């Protein structure tokens, strides 16, 4: 069996036929000039004939090329049709998210996506970032969105959207009434923190704890709603995503502290297994989630 004709060779051939120049054709199909030249040579070798008359850098179809062009174009069109066959088909995906993202952001993404593809089925598993990465590594999830950049040899992380952690207290908390808050004040106050292993806790330990030395944190809670209730009752300081507390801040149930540490910025990540095959449905969801994040960050 001789050399097989590939779609890349056909795409290279049709681009050169239409543009008459290898450099311009290579740019159109996102190949290097050398790769495009090699693809054409391989195609002509597989067919056992030349397809172009060459005059310097200008290539013009010969009679063989003119006969081959419509058939090559038709094959490429059929290939594009096959690739788009599942673009509008219902999608079935298993999603994972760390708690803040899974409780407040991803449900909005899922609802918007299902508005476009209402026959689709999406499942969401929520855990802390470490647990989500473990499930993703075992192929129990198709894609995950996490708050901490947890490194794993089989997982690829891609920045998804920006976030900022806020220090919040009840309106009657002494620090809410203070004219100025020092690091000493923060170190002496009681805290209600997320559990170890959560993305919010990782950021707290990286950006806050080294500056304070230690904190008085008699409560560690894995649920952001519970933390907001405890903080709102005056128990202590909470450190939570701005996206988690924006409704309570707007209603005056919580107050944002002026943070002497400065902004506590972080990045949310999209996580995929390095060996995960990106189906058309998964690619469509990833594109939607990325567009949603871009719109959200722009607000």
């Amino acid at each position: 069996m001789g050399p097989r004709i590939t779609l890349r060779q056909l795409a290279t051939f049709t681009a050169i036929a239409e543009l008459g120049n290898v450099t311009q054709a290579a740019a159109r199909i996102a190949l290097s000039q050398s790769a495009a030249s090699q693809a054409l040579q391989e195609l002509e070798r597989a067919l056992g004939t030349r397809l172009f008359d060459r005059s310097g850098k200008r290539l013009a179809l010969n009679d063989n090329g003119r006969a081959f062009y419509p058939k090559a174009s038709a094959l490429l069109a059929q290939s594009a049709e096959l690739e788009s066959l599942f673009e509008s088909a219902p999608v079935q995906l298993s999603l994972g998210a760390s708690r803040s993202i899974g409780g407040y952001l991803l449900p909005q993404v899922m609802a918007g996506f299902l508005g476009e593809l209402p026959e689709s089925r999406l499942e969401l598993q929520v855990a802390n970032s470490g647990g989500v990465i473990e499930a993703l590594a075992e192929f129990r999830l198709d894609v995950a969105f996490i708050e901490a950049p947890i490194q794993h040899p089989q997982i690829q992380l891609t920045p998804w959207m920006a976030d900022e952690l806020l220090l919040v207290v009840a309106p009657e908390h002494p620090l809410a009434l203070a004219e100025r808050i020092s690091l000493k004040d923060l170190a002496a106050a009681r805290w209600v923190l997320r559990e170890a292993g959560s993305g919010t806790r990782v950021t707290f330990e990286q950006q806050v704890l080294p500056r304070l030395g230690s904190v008085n944190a008699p409560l560690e809670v894995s649920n952001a709603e519970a933390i907001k209730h405890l903080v709102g009752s005056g128990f202590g300081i909470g450190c939570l995503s701005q996206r988690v507390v924006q409704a309570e801040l707007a209603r005056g149930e919580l107050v944002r502290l002026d943070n002497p540490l400065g902004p506590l910025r972080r990045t949310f990540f999209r996580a995929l297994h390095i060996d995960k095959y990106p189906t058309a449905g998964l690619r469509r969801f990833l594109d939607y989630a990325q567009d949603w994040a871009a719109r959200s960050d722009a607000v």
Side-chain angles (χ1 to χ4, degrees):
M1 184 180 294
R4 295 185 175 182
I5 296 174
T6 67
L7 291 174
R8 185 172 80 161
Q9 292 167 2
L10 294 180
T12 302
F13 164 74
T14 56
I16 295 173
E18 292 163 8
L19 297 172
N21 181 278
V22 175
T23 302
Q24 295 175 18
R28 174 191 283 186
I29 59 177
L31 289 179
S32 66
Q33 182 176 346
S34 60
S37 297
Q38 182 180 356
L40 177 58
Q41 292 170 10
E42 291 171 349
L43 176 61
E44 291 182 327
R45 192 179 306 122
L47 295 173
T49 185
R50 289 285 187 95
L51 299 170
F52 292 93
D53 292 324
R54 291 158 172 80
S55 175
K57 293 185 177 182
R58 180 72 184 172
L59 281 74
L61 288 173
N62 60 21
D63 57 335
N64 290 330
R66 286 191 294 272
F68 187 65
Y69 176 79
K71 298 184 183 298
S73 298
L75 282 171
L76 286 173
Q78 291 174 18
S79 170
E81 184 179 355
L82 285 174
E83 289 178 352
S84 64
L85 184 62
F86 298 103
E87 289 296 329
S88 59
V91 176
Q92 184 166 341
L93 295 173
S94 181
L95 314 175
S98 54
R99 298 190 192 279
S100 294
I101 297 174
Y104 299 90
L105 298 180
L106 207 57
Q108 300 178 50
V109 179
M110 296 165 69
F113 183 79
L114 290 173
E116 294 188 357
L117 288 177
E119 300 300 317
S120 295
R121 177 181 175 85
L122 303 178
E123 298 178 356
L124 175 61
Q125 299 180 35
V126 179
N128 65 31
S129 294
V132 170
I133 288 295
E134 181 181 339
L136 191 65
E138 296 173 357
F139 287 102
R140 290 186 278 124
L141 300 172
D142 293 305
V143 62
F145 298 84
I146 61 173
E147 299 158 52
I150 296 176
Q151 300 301 313
H152 189 289
Q154 294 176 298
I155 303 300
Q156 180 182 36
L157 299 181
T158 303
W160 182 47
M161 64 189 305
D163 185 48
E164 182 179 348
L165 292 177
L166 305 181
L167 304 186
V168 293
V169 295
E172 64 275 10
H173 190 282
L175 291 183
L177 309 174
E179 292 184 6
R180 182 177 177 277
I181 301 171
S182 66
L183 296 181
K184 186 176 180 180
D185 293 330
L186 294 181
R190 285 190 306 188
W191 290 76
V192 185
L193 297 179
R194 285 287 308 275
E195 81 285 5
S198 73
T200 299
R201 180 65 174 267
V202 169
T203 303
F204 180 87
E205 291 175 346
Q206 291 174 343
Q207 299 191 35
V208 178
L209 206 53
R211 300 281 300 278
L212 300 185
S214 63
V215 294
N216 174 22
L219 282 177
E220 294 186 5
V221 183
S222 63
N223 181 281
E225 291 298 316
I227 292 177
K228 288 191 288 186
H229 286 304
L230 286 163
V231 172
S233 69
F235 184 85
I237 304 176
C239 180
L240 294 169
S241 165
Q242 60 178 342
R243 304 175 191 277
V244 169
V245 297
Q246 58 185 2
E248 288 76 13
L249 291 175
R251 293 193 298 263
E253 296 168 4
L254 295 175
V255 175
R256 175 180 180 175
L257 292 181
D258 289 331
N259 188 355
L261 297 165
L264 303 176
R265 297 192 177 97
R266 62 176 179 172
T267 300
F268 291 157
F269 294 90
R270 187 190 77 195
L272 284 171
H273 197 290
I274 57 174
D275 294 325
K276 176 67 178 176
Y277 175 74
T279 63
L282 177 57
R283 292 198 306 270
R284 181 162 183 173
F285 181 81
L286 296 179
D287 289 343
Y288 183 89
Q290 205 64 40
D291 290 343
W292 185 92
R295 294 194 303 270
S296 179
D297 280 344
V299 174

